[in-house]
Amino acid sequence: MKSRALTVAVAAVAVCCFAASAWGKFYAVEPLLVEQPPYAGMKFSLYKPYNAPAGWYATFDGYPVTKNKDGVWVYGTFNGPIITPTHYVVGSVVPSLAGLNPFPGSVQISSVTTLPDAGRSELATQPSVGARLGTAVPLPGTPSSTYMPDWLFDMRFMQLGGWKSSVDRVGVLNKPSLPVAWRGNYPRVIYAWTGHAWYHMTARSDGEHPTDIIRNHIYELTRMSKRSGFTWYESDTPVLSRQAMVWGYYWMGEVAPRQTGY
């Protein structure tokens, strides 16, 4: 798979044309195939735009990315000519729907991204607005919305924002569909919201990957979510991504636990 990705990356860079803009001409010195530490097995291709700031690269659809001090690849946002890192982890969002912009004059070219085969997410469809609370909340990619999930008003859930000593990233488990949070690439504890409380999942040993910790607790998580009757809706996810930004946490998107033997 790696050799295939590099082959496609080289071919894609070969067709990348020059475009005049405030950033100059866009081309890749050489394609880069990088790995995203927070995701098990995720790899994606980058190129280096001409005159891009030091440490900044572009995805093959033109969006600026950089590897931050925590070793996480994140998207950037433009403040005039200056690019600043966001807390959107590469692979966690569709950048255009998150309000991010590509490099000016960039050319979109094909790339290969490999992800672990962990199955499709099974999120419930949002009920009618009348079945939920109704204060307006703008969502990424939409001008406005009248959807506000119940957990935004649950102090037990919202206390997560004050756990900065033990949390710096938030995502949604793909199955069962539950919010999860932890700190660092190899946390000692992962928190999962089960509908009534944050369930603590402890690592069995140092250096255990977050998705391995989650996999070891899937049975308990499934039982607790069914017992509580909690349902995570599709429309909850963009609201949580915005809340993670407010808290200053990385948004991890969908989190899929590793399969045994992966």
Side-chain angles (χ1 to χ4, degrees):
M1 178 61 72
K2 182 179 289 188
S3 61
R4 179 189 172 197
L6 285 173
T7 300
V8 175
V10 171
V13 172
V15 301
C16 183
C17 63
F18 293 87
S21 72
W23 288 92
K25 300 174 181 178
F26 282 76
Y27 68 93
V29 176
E30 63 180 53
L32 301 174
L33 184 66
V34 299
E35 185 172 358
Q36 181 69 284
Y39 287 97
M42 178 182 176
K43 297 179 176 65
F44 56 95
S45 298
L46 304 174
Y47 70 98
K48 180 74 173 179
Y50 175 76
N51 278 352
W56 284 94
Y57 298 85
T59 59
F60 276 11
D61 51 359
Y63 289 91
V65 298
T66 189
K67 193 172 187 178
N68 65 19
K69 60 182 178 61
D70 296 317
V72 179
W73 286 95
V74 296
Y75 288 108
T77 186
F78 290 96
N79 296 311
I82 307 300
I83 314 176
T84 56
T86 70
H87 280 75
Y88 286 121
V89 173
V90 176
S92 69
V93 295
V94 177
S96 60
L97 298 182
L100 303 176
N101 294 312
F103 277 105
S106 63
V107 177
Q108 294 190 1
I109 51 182
S110 299
S111 67
V112 169
T113 300
T114 61
L115 294 170
D117 183 13
R120 295 177 60 84
S121 174
E122 298 183 5
L123 297 179
T125 303
Q126 174 193 343
S128 62
V129 173
R132 307 280 278 179
L133 297 175
T135 305
V137 174
L139 301 180
T142 60
S144 62
S145 174
T146 56
Y147 178 65
M148 232 176 153
D150 300 335
W151 47 262
L152 276 177
F153 301 91
D154 190 329
M155 295 305 297
R156 294 167 300 179
F157 184 97
M158 297 300 288
Q159 66 182 335
L160 181 68
W163 295 354
K164 290 180 171 56
S165 61
S166 55
V167 170
D168 69 352
R169 51 202 75 186
V170 176
V172 176
L173 185 62
N174 69 339
K175 188 177 180 181
S177 297
L178 299 172
V180 290
W182 68 90
R183 184 176 184 84
N185 291 333
Y186 302 101
R188 293 296 303 166
V189 179
I190 295 180
Y191 306 94
W193 179 253
T194 61
H196 297 306
W198 287 101
Y199 173 61
H200 297 194
M201 297 175 281
T202 305
R204 295 178 177 178
S205 60
D206 292 336
E208 193 171 4
H209 195 279
T211 53
D212 289 327
I213 300 173
I214 293 171
R215 176 172 53 80
N216 293 334
H217 292 82
I218 284 295
Y219 177 73
E220 292 90 343
L221 288 175
T222 302
R223 285 190 60 192
M224 285 185 286
S225 64
K226 287 183 177 179
R227 192 159 52 235
S228 70
F230 177 71
T231 302
W232 186 259
Y233 297 100
E234 254 187 305
S235 296
D236 289 355
T237 298
V239 179
L240 182 58
S241 74
R242 286 170 51 84
Q243 189 60 49
M245 302 295 108
V246 172
W247 287 331
Y249 297 155
Y250 297 125
W251 175 244
M252 308 302 293
E254 183 178 286
V255 179
R258 287 185 178 185
Q259 303 301 308
T260 303
Y262 179 78

